[in-house]
Amino acid sequence: MLLEIITPDKKVYSGEVSSVSVPGTDGRFQLLNNHAPIISTLLNGPVRITDREGEKSFDVKGGVIENLKNKVIILAESV
C-alpha cells in the first residue's frame, strides 16, 4: 500500500509499505494491505512503518490519518 506522511512544511515520507501503526485517539492501531476505509485523528506519538528497507519510526505531533483503496495519507501537525 502507498503511504504519504505530510506536514504543513513538507512531505516527510512517500513510498510502498506493508504495515503502518499509529497512535489513534482511541488507542494505537495498525493498518495492513486491503484494510477497510478509515479516517481517524492522531495523538502525539510514534508512527511505525514497515517498508522494503525494514522498520522506521516517525514521531508525529497530532494529526489525521485516512486510508482508502490501499492509499494511506497521514496529515501531521509536525514530525
Side-chain angles (χ1 to χ4, degrees), residues 13-27:
Y13 181 89
S14 180
E16 288 290 323
V17 298
S18 58
S19 72
V20 181
S21 176
V22 296
T25 305
D26 291 332

Side-chain angles (χ1 to χ4, degrees), residues 19-54:
S19 72
V20 181
S21 176
V22 296
T25 305
D26 291 332
R28 177 163 288 281
F29 64 94
Q30 183 178 37
L31 290 94
L32 301 171
N33 204 24
N34 296 317
H35 194 283
I38 187 170
I39 296 175
S40 178
T41 53
L42 301 176
L43 297 175
N44 296 349
V47 170
R48 296 185 183 112
I49 67 168
T50 304
D51 63 11
R52 291 180 182 148
E53 298 172 3

